[in-house]
Amino acid sequence: MAERWTMHPQRPVGIIGYGSYVPMYRLPNTEISRIWGSGDEGGPIKEKAVAGLDEDTITISIEAARNALSRAGIDPEDIRAVWVGSESHPYAVKPSSTVVAEAIGTSPFHLAADLEFACKAGTEALQAAIGLVGAGMAEYAMAIGADTAQGRPGDALEYTAACGGTAFIVGPAEEALAILRGSLSFVSDTPDFWRRAYQHYPSHGGRFTGEPAYFHHIQSAADALMGEMGLEAKDFTYAIFHQPNVKFPQRVGKRLGFTKEQLEPGLISNIIGNTYAGAAITGFSATLDIAKPGDRILMVSFGSGAGSDASVWEVTEALEERRHKAPLVADYIARRVEIDYGLYVRYRSKILVK
Amino acid sequence: MEGKVAHDWRLRGQRYRLEGEECPHCKAKIFPPRDICPECKRPAKEPYRLSGRGEVYTFSTLNSAPEGFENYTPYTVALVKLEEGPMITAQLTDVAPEDVRIGMPVEMVTRKLRAQGDEGTIIYGYKFRPTGLGHAH
């Protein structure tokens, strides 16, 4: 099939460093159902990651960015863009990206901006970084997706809205640990989830978030990219889909022809929750943590409102030597302190103290 | 408020990246930066980024916090001896007060220190946590 929608940079690019961060606190779904549900029936996932009192999207981004830098092994002054995608930037006006950039020690000569597109802001930042490096305007660009997701107490989203994030440094393909083979984006005006200005919690369209939103956008993006590149599910070692729960990515994977085994390393929502702008990319990061040279990986994000970014990556030899220069996603998952609903409402500032 | 913004802004290098100084004469590492070497008393203005690795020299847990930090109690403040030499005062994070020990290896992380009310700036800076997930460099 001729390529019409698939995008390629002018020069080959890839990921030269990646890094994640997941806060240590965990709230089990049984705690939420104990307070809001009918007894001990559980919820859509086992537990979700919760940020501590001194953590937010900026601090999560900084930790992920430092891990990405450790793996990339480059001078931070050579980074020409720092883009942070999130729906929970600490300020309504004032970039998160400038704080992150100063903290990792970039030179002031770089682009910086915050992106917002619900759960796909992180992959949007990645697409932009691919464009900047691919056009030859920069050697390196950093793309981050991170969130401290808000869920209204008692709402279905409270079971899964979690905290965490991942950073990538995009650079020339010859330095990459995973080379980009193609990408595309598919968006439409589909109001499945939103938060109006000055509102603390988001609203959503209930079941409307399923077929017309999540499934339509992910399947359309994945079908177009795989079709145009002449690839089928069996041609991939692994696939990662946006993971608002466990069921949705499993179902969309099955519809696209992927097996459970292909999804398994990158499907971590059951144990950390939905980290929103960090979700698909932290699944990708967990997959890179175990991938081998030659592996082909598909990642498809989804952001409400709505859209999907799909990309195909091929792992190189460089991954194995860089992997252990920063903590793995599994290391963060293992660092776990369980909290109850009472501590959760304190940590997430859900009680009025003045 | 405006004066405070300028004050915090001036400190961002040391708060975000542990940027101190190195004495060009005796090579002592200096933190916080003070432009005069505390060891040999000669001018020292060469910026030097500390690794962020160190150990707890001593500590105290606060249950009654000063203004701006009430929301974080109880929390532990430590004197951290950095591997390059300087001793700095900082909060510990991601650790329960009862688990802190003298000599415990720690690493720098950048966290929220406090916010200037609901309308002011959010101040970020160094804290230390038990070593183990290290990306300090």
Side-chain angles (χ1 to χ4, degrees):
Chain A
M1 191 188 301
E3 289 193 355
R4 182 174 183 192
W5 315 116
T6 303
M7 302 184 286
H8 297 283
Q10 284 191 333
R11 64 163 173 170
V13 304
I15 291 165
I16 65 153
Y18 70 99
S20 298
Y21 177 76
V22 181
M24 67 193 278
Y25 302 105
R26 298 287 181 280
L27 180 70
N29 266 194
T30 50
E31 264 301 288
I32 303 172
S33 63
R34 180 173 72 85
I35 304 298
W36 294 105
S38 48
D40 199 17
E41 66 194 15
I45 60 169
K46 181 171 171 276
E47 58 191 16
K48 66 174 189 173
V50 178
L53 280 167
D54 59 1
E55 296 184 289
D56 61 18
T57 289
I58 287 179
T59 67
I60 289 169
S61 297
I62 291 171
E63 297 228 20
R66 285 184 176 145
N67 286 335
L69 258 182
S70 296
R71 285 200 175 104
I74 59 163
D75 181 343
E77 295 205 341
D78 291 332
I79 293 172
R80 286 294 160 271
V82 176
W83 286 314
V84 182
S86 180
E87 61 146 64
S88 48
H89 291 289
Y91 287 91
V93 177
K94 189 198 171 303
S96 301
S97 48
T98 51
V99 186
V100 176
E102 287 257 8
I104 62 169
T106 61
S107 127
F109 293 100
H110 67 87
L111 290 154
D114 296 356
L115 291 92
E116 187 271 323
F117 192 146
C119 298
K120 96 168 184 82
T123 50
E124 186 80 30
L126 183 58
Q127 294 277 43
I130 289 165
L132 194 77
V133 176
M137 287 175 69
E139 276 302 275
Y140 306 116
M142 178 174 271
I144 303 172
D147 257 305
T148 54
Q150 312 94 333
R152 188 188 307 277
D155 186 86
L157 287 180
E158 190 179 34
Y159 286 91
T160 51
C163 309
T166 290
F168 298 105
I169 299 174
V170 175
E174 49 276 21
E175 296 172 37
L177 52 83
I179 296 173
L180 176 79
R181 292 302 181 199
S183 69
L184 60 71
S185 297
F186 180 89
V187 305
S188 74
D189 178 14
T190 303
D192 58 314
F193 169 97
W194 60 91
R195 179 164 62 86
R196 295 275 301 278
Y198 310 113
Q199 295 300 304
H200 194 61
Y201 298 116
S203 305
H204 56 87
R207 294 175 66 92
F208 189 65
T209 58
E211 289 302 333
Y214 180 91
F215 291 100
H216 176 59
H217 291 81
I218 288 190
Q219 285 173 234
S220 301
D223 276 337
L225 185 61
M226 289 161 66
E228 289 196 352
M229 292 182 70
L231 296 169
E232 295 175 37
K234 65 171 172 46
D235 298 322
F236 290 89
T237 324
Y238 302 111
I240 301 99
F241 302 103
H242 174 55
Q243 33 204 278
N245 48 39
V246 181
K247 232 188 272 175
F248 276 26
Q250 279 178 342
R251 192 177 302 158
V252 84
K254 196 172 170 194
R255 287 185 190 176
L256 290 163
F258 291 92
T259 64
K260 241 175 129 174
E261 290 69 32
Q262 286 169 297
L263 268 53
E264 198 267 330
L267 186 46
I268 51 178
S269 52
N270 194 42
I271 39 182
I272 67 164
N274 177 7
T275 55
Y276 283 51
I281 53 178
T282 305
F284 185 29
S285 174
T287 305
L288 288 173
D289 283 347
I290 57 95
K292 292 187 173 58
D295 285 354
R296 188 184 283 140
I297 302 172
L298 172 74
M299 171 170 63
V300 191
S301 66
F302 170 73
S304 290
S308 286
D309 299 315
S311 49
V312 173
W313 304 86
E314 239 167 66
V315 175
T316 75
E317 303 280 342
L319 175 62
E320 298 199 316
E321 73 194 53
R322 290 183 213 163
R323 175 181 291 146
H324 291 289
K325 291 184 174 172
L328 306 176
V329 173
D331 297 329
Y332 286 110
I333 288 172
R335 190 184 71 132
R336 173 187 178 278
V337 173
E338 190 173 317
I339 57 171
D340 63 10
Y341 199 85
L343 265 181
Y344 167 71
V345 297
R346 183 180 174 203
Y347 286 176
R348 299 302 298 130
S349 303
K350 290 178 191 293
I351 39 172
L352 209 55
V353 290
K354 64 169 184 174
Chain B
M1 179 67 80
E2 280 174 27
K4 187 71 182 119
V5 166
H7 170 81
D8 288 320
W9 172 73
R10 262 179 228 116
L11 298 179
R12 69 197 190 285
Q14 53 176 279
R15 278 189 180 152
Y16 291 180
R17 325 183 271 275
L18 280 186
E19 203 168 273
E21 288 164 336
E22 183 182 46
C23 175
H25 309 287
C26 74
K27 298 294 170 197
K29 309 299 183 286
I30 305 161
F31 193 90
R34 64 198 78 171
D35 296 351
I36 297 289
C37 177
E39 303 295 328
C40 69
K41 319 293 180 205
R42 285 186 280 184
K45 293 185 177 181
E46 195 60 40
Y48 184 90
R49 194 170 161 189
L50 294 148
S51 69
R53 289 183 292 268
E55 61 175 53
V56 173
Y57 181 78
T58 188
F59 66 95
S60 181
T61 297
L62 280 78
N63 290 292
S64 179
E67 194 181 345
F69 296 91
E70 303 92 333
N71 195 28
Y72 298 103
T73 57
Y75 62 87
T76 303
V77 172
L79 278 176
V80 173
K81 178 88 174 152
L82 297 174
E83 65 178 14
E84 296 91 346
M87 181 95 79
I88 68 176
T89 308
Q91 267 191 47
L92 301 184
T93 190
D94 289 0
V95 61
E98 59 271 25
D99 293 334
V100 180
R101 297 284 178 272
I102 286 172
M104 174 187 264
V106 289
E107 63 190 9
M108 187 272 271
V109 287
T110 309
R111 292 290 171 89
K112 213 158 52 173
L113 298 180
R114 67 196 140 81
Q116 315 275 20
D118 290 335
E119 295 183 4
T121 53
I122 304 166
I123 312 301
Y124 297 91
Y126 54 80
K127 293 189 182 183
F128 286 80
R129 72 165 168 223
T131 304
L133 290 167
H135 43 56
H137 43 239

